[in-house]
Amino acid sequence: MKIILVDAVNTFVIEGEGIFDKMHDLLETFPNRKIILTNANDEQAKGYGLDTVPYEVFSLKHNPDKTDPEYFKKMLEHFHFKKDNVIYFEHNNDAVKSAQSIGITAYHYDSEKKDLESLKVFLKTSLQV
């Protein structure tokens, strides 16, 4: 079963508000394992409330950031995942391109529109394979 990789800040967690409940509800409709990906260091993670999210959190603490394909290579290696066994959604288009550059199926989530219907289509389509 594929793993859903979820961008942390400005996607799953809204700064100053906490967990985006409607997104959490959507993710809970899928039985797949979910992992929150962030660049945050320990202090930043606590400030964003990432220490209280319901899913495991992975960070390389800006060494490198998600805009560098090495982030995703190291993440895959850390979890012993294959690129074909994960899907990812993220608000930063450069990070989406970074993940795609190493073969990860990734989706640009517009954090301004908060279009959960399009996200749901991406998740359903990508998880059917």
Side-chain angles (χ1 to χ4, degrees):
M1 186 176 295
K2 289 188 179 186
I3 295 95
I4 301 172
L5 305 173
V6 183
D7 175 38
V9 180
N10 295 318
T11 302
F12 188 72
V13 174
I14 299 171
E15 194 170 354
E17 296 179 29
I19 293 171
F20 181 21
D21 290 329
K22 288 181 181 178
M23 180 176 288
H24 179 247
D25 293 345
L26 171 61
L27 288 172
E28 284 298 294
T29 66
F30 297 93
N32 307 65
R33 179 178 178 187
K34 293 110 182 148
I35 301 173
I36 304 291
L37 301 188
T38 183
N39 292 320
N41 61 34
D42 294 339
E43 184 179 319
Q44 291 169 319
K46 190 171 178 90
Y48 290 126
L50 298 178
D51 54 340
T52 62
V53 296
Y55 308 126
E56 61 193 299
V57 176
F58 177 82
S59 181
L60 288 174
K61 303 174 185 179
H62 300 288
N63 187 26
D65 282 331
K66 292 184 282 181
T67 53
D68 183 338
E70 278 303 308
Y71 178 98
F72 294 97
K73 291 176 185 175
K74 289 181 178 186
M75 180 274 303
L76 292 172
E77 186 178 300
H78 172 82
F79 288 109
H80 306 288
F81 292 158
K82 293 186 178 358
K83 61 182 169 44
D84 296 335
N85 291 333
V86 299
I87 63 169
Y88 177 51
F89 65 96
E90 157 80 50
H91 83 284
N92 181 326
N93 205 35
D94 289 335
V96 170
K97 289 177 185 174
S98 174
Q100 290 171 334
S101 77
I102 67 156
I104 293 174
T105 298
Y107 172 79
H108 178 249
Y109 169 77
D110 188 327
S111 59
E112 297 294 315
K113 291 183 182 176
K114 294 182 175 57
D115 185 356
L116 295 178
E117 281 305 311
S118 293
L119 176 58
K120 183 178 183 179
V121 169
F122 164 75
L123 292 170
K124 282 186 169 186
T125 304
S126 300
L127 294 171
Q128 286 179 354
V129 178

